[in-house]
């Protein structure tokens, strides 16, 4: 990650959109490094090298990978303290490893011929993953981890003002201590989450405009919420990898992966439409649509997120959202970021090199 940040580090003084573009490539490299290390560990484990009683040290790269993220996070955002970073990291790992663990556990244990017990296990597993992504567990955790913050009164006041405009009253409103400026709607529990950094960066009118955007998501109909949840879980159909391959061969796998890809593309298109509707609600509810546009720009700038992303994301590009609000940015349309900084590619090639080395070693025995 230190190497990935080199170009971003040298871009001091450049326009924020260019720095955000370089930082995005570095962040993607971190993802590549994570995959590379995990695939490498998997290759070492699969080839049973070293012997079974000596493979406990494979946990060390995982621990190092997690702890090694703190210096980079601190360099990118100096407001990160170790405690805040650790809490965010632990919760991210719990959620991600919960999803990945359930998914991999189901996929690798599904037999070639399914019984009714296997179907029940699959349904329960998908239900557990739906429970995680829908954040139904959030009210309990928020109650256990609740702590007072000076900005809570201000957030409650602005939320009440937004409620009068949107005619939607959130069941839960939480203020999360974070150096990342963000807000989110938890549609399945009718909740709002706003970070302390967002409250610091935006004035009252801008906070209200952002909350109006999130409240528009809370107004979504039940069928839309079900479709959104199905889109978030479309990749879970891969748990049937083994039975599909057994019954239908490579053509079945092609259909399975094609269905997942098609559903993912449909979900992206559907989500972008919902985001545009929410943007319209925020602009109509604000005194001036420019308030919402400038609020978005501030959030992207402080979070160092590219104004134009690579490919099709769940949210439209910031540049297009500002134009939709009737505000033309005072800078030309930025280029999208590259796919990934070079250390990420090196890390992804590492397991291939090791796998070839293990294969040659095995042939020589």
């Amino acid at each position: 990650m230190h190497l990935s940040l080199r170009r971003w580090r040298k871009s001091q003084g450049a326009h924020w959109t260019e720095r955000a573009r370089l930082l995005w490539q570095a962040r993607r490299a971190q993802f590549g490094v994570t995959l590379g290390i995990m695939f490498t560990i998997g290759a070492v484990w699969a080839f049973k090298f070293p012997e079974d009683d000596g493979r406990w040290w494979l946990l060390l790269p995982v621990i190092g990978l997690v702890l090694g993220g703190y210096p980079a996070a601190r360099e990118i955002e100096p407001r990160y303290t170790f405690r805040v970073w650790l809490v965010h990291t632990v919760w991210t790992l719990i959620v991600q490893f919960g999803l990945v663990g359930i998914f991999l556990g189901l996929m690798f244990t599904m037999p070639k011929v399914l019984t009714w017990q296997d179907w029940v296990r699959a349904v329960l597993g998908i239900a557990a993953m739906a429970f995680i992504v829908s954040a139904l567990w959030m009210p309990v955790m928020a109650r256990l981890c609740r702590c007072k913050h000076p900005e809570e009164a201000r957030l409650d006041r602005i939320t009440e003002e937004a409620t009068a405009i949107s005619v939607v009253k959130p069941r839960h409103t939480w203020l999360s201590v974070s150096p990342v400026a963000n807000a989110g709607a938890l549609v399945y529990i009718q909740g709002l989450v706003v970070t302390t950094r967002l409250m610091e960066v935006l004035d009252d009118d801008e906070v209200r405009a952002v909350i109006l955007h999130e409240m528009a998501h809370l107004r979504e109909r039940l069928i839309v919420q079900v479709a959104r949840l199905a889109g978030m879980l479309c990749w879970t159909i891969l748990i049937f990898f083994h039975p599909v391959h057994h019954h239908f061969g490579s053509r079945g796998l092609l259909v399975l992966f094609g269905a997942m890809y098609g559903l993912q593309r449909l979900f992206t298109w559907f989500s972008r439409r919902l985001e545009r509707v929410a943007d319209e609600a925020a602009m109509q509810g604000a005194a001036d649509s420019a308030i919402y546009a400038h609020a978005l720009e501030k959030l992207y700038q402080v979070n160092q997120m590219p104004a134009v992303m690579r490919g099709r994301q769940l949210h439209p590009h910031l540049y297009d959202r500002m134009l939709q609000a009737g505000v033309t940015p005072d800078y030309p349309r930025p280029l999208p970021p590259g796919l990934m900084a070079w250390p990420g590619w090196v890390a992804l090639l590492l397991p291939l090199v090791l796998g070839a080395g293990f294969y040659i070693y095995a042939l020589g025995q």
Side-chain angles (χ1 to χ4, degrees), residues 34-35 38-39 41-42 95-111 121-122 125-126 128-129 132 233 235-243 257 260:
T34 302
L35 284 182
M38 299 307 294
F39 286 151
I41 293 174
V95 172
Q96 291 182 349
F97 276 97
L99 289 172
V100 174
I102 295 172
F103 169 73
L104 292 180
L106 288 173
M107 187 174 72
F108 286 117
T109 60
M110 278 291 162
R121 190 157 51 90
I126 293 175
M129 289 186 278
I132 294 174
L233 293 173
W235 50 274
T236 61
I237 63 174
L238 295 182
I239 65 176
F240 299 107
F241 179 93
H242 288 140
F257 280 97
M260 185 199 68

Side-chain angles (χ1 to χ4, degrees), residues 15 20 34 65 71 86 90 97 99 102 105 129 201 237 274 286-287 293 346 351:
H15 194 266
T34 302
L65 181 67
L86 185 62
V90 168
F97 276 97
L99 289 172
I102 295 172
M129 289 186 278
V201 171
I237 63 174
L274 293 177
V346 173

Side-chain angles (χ1 to χ4, degrees), residues 99 102 123-137 188 229-230 232-233 235-236:
L99 289 172
I102 295 172
V123 170
L124 292 177
I126 293 175
M129 289 186 278
F131 178 79
I132 294 174
V133 300
S134 63
L136 294 176
W137 46 272
Y188 303 103
L229 184 62
M232 289 190 291
L233 293 173
W235 50 274
T236 61

Side-chain angles (χ1 to χ4, degrees), residues 165-186:
I165 298 172
S166 65
V167 200
V168 175
K169 184 174 180 60
R171 190 176 302 165
H172 310 280
T173 303
W174 294 301
L175 184 65
S176 173
V177 178
S178 173
V180 178
N182 201 5
L186 306 175

Side-chain angles (χ1 to χ4, degrees), residues 71-89:
R74 176 78 175 176
E75 182 177 2
I76 295 169
E77 179 49 76
R79 291 176 180 82
Y80 261 123
T81 63
F82 183 75
R83 180 181 177 278
V84 172
W85 171 84
L86 185 62
V87 170
H88 289 184
T89 302

Side-chain angles (χ1 to χ4, degrees), residues 80-359:
Y80 261 123
T81 63
F82 183 75
R83 180 181 177 278
V84 172
W85 171 84
L86 185 62
V87 170
H88 289 184
T89 302
V90 168
W91 275 112
T92 301
L93 290 176
I94 289 174
V95 172
Q96 291 182 349
F97 276 97
L99 289 172
V100 174
I102 295 172
F103 169 73
L104 292 180
L106 288 173
M107 187 174 72
F108 286 117
T109 60
M110 278 291 162
K112 295 179 180 179
V113 179
L114 299 177
T115 64
W116 70 267
Q117 292 96 332
D118 297 316
W119 283 106
V120 170
R121 190 157 51 90
V123 170
L124 292 177
I126 293 175
M129 289 186 278
F131 178 79
I132 294 174
V133 300
S134 63
L136 294 176
W137 46 272
M138 274 286 292
V140 175
M141 295 310 304
R143 189 169 299 176
L144 293 176
C145 305
R146 184 173 179 80
C147 57
K148 287 292 184 179
H149 192 277
E151 289 282 10
E152 282 190 352
R154 179 183 171 219
L155 175 60
D156 291 340
R157 173 177 56 80
I158 296 175
T159 302
E160 288 293 333
E161 296 170 357
T163 297
I165 298 172
S166 65
V167 200
V168 175
K169 184 174 180 60
R171 190 176 302 165
H172 310 280
T173 303
W174 294 301
L175 184 65
S176 173
V177 178
S178 173
V180 178
N182 201 5
L186 306 175
V187 297
Y188 303 103
I189 58 174
Q190 290 293 292
L192 289 177
V193 178
V194 180
T195 65
T196 52
R197 181 62 175 149
L198 180 144
M199 300 297 293
E200 294 171 5
V201 171
L202 304 184
D203 61 31
D204 287 6
D205 291 335
E206 292 167 340
V207 173
R208 188 183 307 110
V210 172
I211 290 178
L212 285 170
H213 171 99
E214 303 304 337
M215 283 184 170
H217 289 306
L218 299 184
R219 290 203 305 265
E220 293 169 358
R221 293 177 296 173
L222 178 61
I223 189 172
V224 174
Q225 297 180 12
V226 172
R228 182 192 288 275
L229 184 62
M232 289 190 291
L233 293 173
C234 64
W235 50 274
T236 61
I237 63 174
L238 295 182
I239 65 176
F240 299 107
F241 179 93
H242 288 140
V244 168
H245 183 255
H246 173 71
H247 289 287
F248 305 104
S250 57
R251 291 184 179 179
L253 292 182
L254 184 62
V255 172
L256 187 69
F257 280 97
M260 185 199 68
Y261 177 76
L263 289 172
Q264 186 62 48
R265 295 283 294 182
L266 180 62
F267 170 62
T268 302
W269 172 83
F270 182 64
S271 296
R272 288 172 69 88
R273 287 181 61 88
L274 293 177
E275 292 299 331
R276 290 193 183 98
V277 171
D279 282 346
E280 288 288 347
M283 290 184 289
Q284 292 174 6
D288 185 351
S289 60
I291 294 175
Y292 180 62
H294 291 308
L296 289 178
E297 187 176 31
K298 284 183 180 180
L299 296 181
Y300 274 70
Q301 184 172 356
V302 298
N303 291 332
Q304 300 184 71
M305 293 292 293
V308 175
M309 299 294 289
R310 184 181 182 88
R312 298 183 66 83
Q313 307 290 322
L314 296 183
H315 290 80
H317 305 304
L318 168 67
Y319 204 88
D320 296 335
R321 298 171 84 178
M322 294 185 68
L323 293 177
Q324 182 186 6
V327 176
T328 302
D330 57 359
Y331 45 86
R333 186 182 183 87
L335 294 173
L339 186 60
M340 188 164 52
W342 67 266
W345 293 113
V346 173
L348 284 177
L349 289 174
L350 181 61
L352 297 179
V353 174
L354 286 177
F358 285 137
Y359 181 72

